[in-house]
Amino acid sequence: MTSPPPARISKSLPPVQEDQGALGLVLGGGGARGAYQAGVIRGLARRCPKLKIPIQVGISAGAVNTIHLASNTGTLTEAADQLADLWLRLTPDQVFDVRAAPLLWNAFRWGARLASGGVGTGAEPMKGMMDTQPLRQFLLNSLRPLEDGTIEGIAQNIERGSLKAVSLSATSYTTGQSVSWVQGRDVSLWQRPQRRSAFANLTVEHVMASSALPMIFPAVSVGQEWYGDGGVRLTAPLSPALHLGADRILTISTRYQRSHAEAAAPAIVGYPPPAQVLGVLYNSIFLDLIDEDIARLQKVNHLLERLPYGGRDGMRIAEIMVIRPSRDLGRLASEFESRLPALVKYITRGLGTKDTSSPDFLSLILFQRDYIAKLIEIGEADAEGQAEALEQFVNR
């Protein structure tokens, strides 16, 4: 069967201003580590206050940052300062319900279901360990969507030409596919094995779906499907930016690049506690895939450079710049765990966060104000440390 031609959206809108280029920003996952991305963006804004980023892609925690940037109608400096302020206002109780009764009840229901084999546990399905309704309300208060849920600033930026397209990705638990929602002008949809795209007027529910950590946060209903974290099935995290036309991609990783010696050093002694297993699992979802995609893109670029333009079969070179933390954000998290709400700390330590020297799992849910402030500070410093290269890359 022949596939229908790609759909297009908003043809009547004016074209993007030519002097903007095709710069794409890709922000991946990492839970609370997303504050580091906010710090880098603030550092970038200091150097390039008038910079426009026409293509913006958010996955998991990066969806929170992306939706804020895409909907802000001010300068990049204003958007970056407001984004940093948003993170600094976050506390654990504004992300998930930290009250003892709901947490203990969820833990009891999970345990009872396992012990009983699912018999007599009630008709209500098991959801995430933590209730994220506080985060939903926090985002609604911050983004102030219209009555129909749409976020007005995104449409305004697209109409005036400062934004070409914004995409958020999530994993459909209903179909098992990775879905990239796109709001933009003159963009085509794409479909790959286990990956598809769809036009959408982006809402807070899309952000909640993209950032729903598997098993920890509950799945989110969008349309007729249930969705979870966007990093679970998106095997090519850079692909939405490329499909939307980016020929330069700036991505902000939340993974510290360890030396060979650091990577080979044991993080635990003896049998791995659940926190260590969860940390490795979540790193494979949120961090490994984007690193692999970066390496793949660099290899393709190298091959294309050796081919004449006419022999590239429609493929194009897409430059990429990666900003990474200068400190291990997982190891840093252990310094702040003691300030968590008592019951949350009790649970994390029960999972064995004190038994590993690099509690990466803890860093995902450590929405502690002092930890967040430190991540923003490190992000700003890292952007300043690469300011010349960063400024040169985005202004080409």
Side-chain angles (χ1 to χ4, degrees):
M1 184 185 297
T2 304
S3 300
R8 293 183 178 272
I9 192 169
S10 303
K11 289 185 177 180
S12 61
L13 293 174
V16 179
Q17 301 168 16
E18 292 183 1
D19 61 353
Q20 290 174 354
L23 175 65
L25 176 66
V26 176
L27 301 177
R33 298 189 198 187
Y36 172 79
Q37 297 173 343
V40 173
I41 292 166
R42 186 189 245 181
L44 170 64
R46 284 207 184 96
R47 287 282 180 160
C48 307
K50 297 181 180 180
L51 177 69
K52 303 296 182 184
I53 305 175
I55 297 169
Q56 300 182 24
V57 172
I59 307 158
S60 189
V64 174
N65 294 331
T66 297
I67 205 74
H68 175 86
L69 293 174
S71 64
N72 195 290
T73 55
T75 65
L76 182 60
T77 299
E78 292 169 338
D81 286 343
Q82 291 172 22
L83 179 59
D85 180 66
L86 180 148
W87 278 97
L88 290 169
R89 286 188 285 113
L90 265 183
T91 53
D93 63 304
Q94 290 175 313
V95 179
F96 46 80
D97 193 336
V98 299
R99 293 176 300 166
L103 284 171
L104 291 173
W105 175 243
N106 276 344
F108 171 77
R109 290 184 65 226
W110 277 61
R113 191 175 186 88
L114 287 171
S116 67
V119 177
T121 54
E124 185 180 354
M126 294 303 301
K127 299 181 179 179
M129 282 293 296
M130 296 175 173
D131 178 6
T132 53
Q133 181 58 30
L135 177 60
R136 177 179 282 104
Q137 192 58 52
F138 180 83
L139 292 174
L140 287 170
N141 293 339
S142 299
L143 295 170
R144 298 179 181 176
L146 301 175
E147 287 187 11
D148 63 358
T150 58
I151 301 169
E152 189 175 17
I154 297 176
Q156 290 178 356
N157 285 332
I158 291 171
E159 186 170 0
R160 71 180 186 177
S162 60
L163 179 67
K164 178 184 179 184
V166 56
S167 171
L168 304 182
S169 296
T171 300
S172 172
Y173 291 144
T174 305
T175 66
Q177 292 180 306
S178 173
V179 179
S180 294
W181 294 297
V182 178
Q183 185 173 349
R185 175 214 312 103
D186 290 332
V187 292
S188 300
L189 295 180
W190 63 92
Q191 186 160 347
R192 298 292 184 270
Q194 294 303 317
R195 289 189 280 132
R196 61 183 169 90
S197 58
F199 288 126
N201 290 320
L202 297 174
T203 68
V204 166
E205 293 309 298
H206 293 98
V207 181
M208 293 294 296
S210 183
S211 56
L213 292 170
M215 307 303 289
I216 306 299
F217 294 165
V220 176
S221 174
V222 178
Q224 301 300 310
E225 299 181 40
W226 288 90
Y227 292 90
D229 198 285
V232 175
R233 291 302 300 270
L234 186 55
T235 55
L238 301 177
S239 63
L242 295 171
H243 284 297
L244 294 172
D247 58 20
R248 287 171 297 138
I249 296 175
L250 171 65
T251 183
I252 305 170
S253 174
T254 58
R255 181 204 285 277
Y256 167 71
Q257 194 160 29
R258 297 174 181 174
S259 66
H260 291 300
E262 288 174 318
I268 58 168
V269 176
Y271 194 83
Q276 180 71 10
V277 177
L278 288 170
V280 172
L281 173 63
Y282 281 123
N283 281 347
S284 71
I285 295 172
F286 303 124
L287 305 179
D288 291 355
L289 291 178
I290 196 164
D291 280 349
E292 290 174 9
D293 207 22
I294 290 167
R296 187 161 50 238
L297 178 61
Q298 290 171 333
K299 184 174 289 187
V300 170
N301 283 343
H302 182 65
L303 292 173
L304 290 178
E305 287 170 355
R306 297 185 173 194
L307 294 175
Y309 184 79
R312 295 177 180 176
D313 196 27
M315 299 180 70
R316 69 185 191 279
I317 294 173
E319 299 177 82
I320 186 162
M321 182 173 182
V322 187
I323 303 293
R324 298 180 184 276
S326 55
R327 292 188 61 181
D328 188 326
L329 305 185
R331 292 179 183 269
L332 180 66
S334 62
E335 300 176 18
F336 297 86
E337 184 184 29
S338 62
R339 302 177 181 90
L340 278 170
L343 184 58
V344 177
K345 181 173 62 178
Y346 179 82
I347 293 172
T348 59
R349 291 189 173 177
L351 291 171
T353 53
K354 298 296 287 184
D355 299 326
T356 172
S357 62
S358 185
D360 290 333
F361 168 71
L362 176 63
S363 70
L364 297 176
I365 62 170
L366 193 62
F367 295 93
Q368 199 65 27
R369 188 166 292 168
D370 44 6
Y371 180 62
I372 294 296
K374 189 64 178 178
L375 295 187
I376 292 174
E377 177 188 321
I378 294 170
E380 289 186 74
D382 289 348
E384 186 59 34
Q386 300 187 56
E388 187 174 337
L390 189 56
E391 189 172 356
Q392 187 178 42
F393 181 81
V394 300
N395 286 326
R396 282 181 196 168

